[in-house]
Amino acid sequence: MSQSLGRALQILTSLGEGERSLDQLAAELGVHKTTVLRLLRTMEADRFVRRDASHRYRLGSRLFALADVAREQHVVRQVAAPHLRELNQKTGQTVHLAAWENGEVIYVDKLDSVRSVRMYSQVGVPAAMHCTAVGKVLLAAQPKRQREAIVQALEYKAYTTNTITDPDRLRDELAITKERGWAQDKAEHESFINCIGAPLKDATGRVVGAVSLSVPDVLLNYEQVLELLPDLLATASAISADYN
C-alpha cells in the first residue's frame, strides 16, 4: 500500500510539471504501464487526475479545491492576510509570505504589484534559500546544527551575477540577517528585482514565517527599496502580535 501511495504521489509531482502520456509516466516511475494505469484509473475516478482526448494526463480539479483548503488552513497565512493586503496597497509592490515546511522554504501567499511587472515566484513553490530574502530569514532562524547541514548541502545555483555561491559568504549573510532582523536579496534571484524580508514570530520568539517586499529596479533602486523597510518591519511586527 505504501509503495502504491508513493507512486501515486510521484505521478502527481510529474503532472505538476506538465501533461504526461501513460508511457512517459511509466518510464519516469520505472514500472510497467499496467501498474501505472491501475493507479491512474483510481486517481481519475476521484478527480485527482484527468485524461484528455489524446490520452494524455493532467492534474484534476479535485486538487484545486484541496489546494485552496490547504492554503486557508495555514495559520500564518490566515493571520497575515489582512496585513499583507495593507502592505501591498500602501507600497504598491509585490508582497510574499513564506514558511518553513519539511526543510524547505515555501511561498504560502503572494500579492502582486499594482504595476504591470510580475515576478516568477508562485504560491506552493519552494524559495531558494541562498538568494531570496524569505529564504535567508527562515534559514537563519533554524537551529545551528540544522542550518549548517543545509548550508553545506545547498546546490548554490547561480541565478544572477549577484547570487551567493559560496558557503562561507552565505554563513556571513545569515549571521548579518539574524543580527539586524531582516534580510536582503540584492538582485540575487532575479537580475531586475531587489527584495527585503523580515521574520514573523510567535509568543516565544520562534520564527514561524517570513514576509517580504519585492520591487523591480525600473521602479525603485536598492536604496529606495530600503526606504520601505520601516513599513515591512511594522507589518511583520503586527502579524507577529496577532499570531500570539
Side-chain angles (χ1 to χ4, degrees):
M1 180 63 71
S2 61
Q3 189 177 54
S4 295
L5 177 59
R7 288 170 176 166
L9 293 174
Q10 276 186 270
I11 289 173
L12 293 177
T13 300
S14 292
L15 295 181
E17 298 172 355
E19 63 180 34
R20 297 285 196 275
S21 67
L22 175 59
D23 287 343
Q24 287 174 314
L25 288 170
E28 290 181 11
L29 268 65
V31 297
H32 197 274
K33 288 190 293 185
T34 55
T35 300
V36 180
L37 186 58
R38 283 197 299 270
L39 292 170
L40 287 169
R41 284 174 174 168
T42 300
M43 297 166 76
E44 188 177 6
D46 286 329
R47 295 184 293 107
F48 286 102
V49 303
R50 63 185 178 89
R51 181 180 51 168
D52 63 21
S54 301
H55 298 283
R56 296 185 68 82
Y57 291 87
R58 295 181 171 88
L59 294 178
S61 59
R62 183 78 175 272
L63 291 171
F64 302 155
L66 288 176
D68 286 339
V69 170
R71 283 196 288 175
E72 291 302 327
Q73 288 180 344
H74 202 294
V75 177
V76 176
R77 184 177 185 274
Q78 287 181 331
V79 173
H83 300 287
L84 300 183
R85 286 194 298 270
E86 184 177 347
L87 182 63
N88 176 250
Q89 292 167 2
K90 183 176 183 179
T91 64
Q93 308 302 336
T94 300
V95 176
H96 288 106
L97 176 68
W100 186 269
E101 295 184 2
N102 298 321
E104 292 186 305
V105 175
I106 305 295
Y107 290 114
V108 295
D109 206 355
K110 176 185 178 182
L111 283 72
D112 282 313
S113 166
V114 298
R115 278 76 175 186
S116 59
V117 181
R118 293 290 182 266
M119 295 185 63
Y120 298 123
S121 54
Q122 295 181 339
V123 173
V125 173
M129 285 184 262
H130 64 298
C131 59
T132 63
V134 292
K136 293 175 186 176
V137 165
L138 291 170
L139 180 54
Q142 300 312 304
K144 184 176 180 180
R145 181 175 297 180
Q146 183 179 359
R147 183 174 67 246
E148 180 59 26
I150 292 171
V151 168
Q152 292 182 25
L154 281 176
E155 182 182 346
Y156 292 99
K157 178 179 177 180
Y159 293 91
T160 76
T161 56
N162 290 343
T163 304
I164 293 174
T165 57
D166 177 75
D168 286 335
R169 279 192 60 203
L170 182 58
R171 290 186 185 96
D172 292 342
E173 184 84 357
L174 295 175
I176 293 171
T177 294
K178 195 166 186 178
E179 181 179 353
R180 71 186 176 190
W182 60 274
Q184 67 175 8
D185 160 9
K186 197 172 181 181
E188 297 169 43
H189 189 249
E190 296 180 55
S191 59
F192 59 97
I193 298 286
N194 290 306
C195 183
I196 48 177
L200 310 177
K201 300 179 180 181
D202 65 13
T204 68
R206 181 176 64 93
V207 174
V208 295
V211 60
S212 70
L213 275 172
S214 302
V215 189
D217 56 15
V218 295
L219 298 178
L220 299 175
N221 60 35
Y222 178 71
E223 288 69 27
Q224 291 171 315
V225 173
L226 288 183
E227 294 176 5
L228 300 176
L229 186 58
D231 291 327
L232 175 69
L233 295 177
T235 297
S237 179
I239 295 171
S240 298
D242 283 357
Y243 187 86
N244 297 321

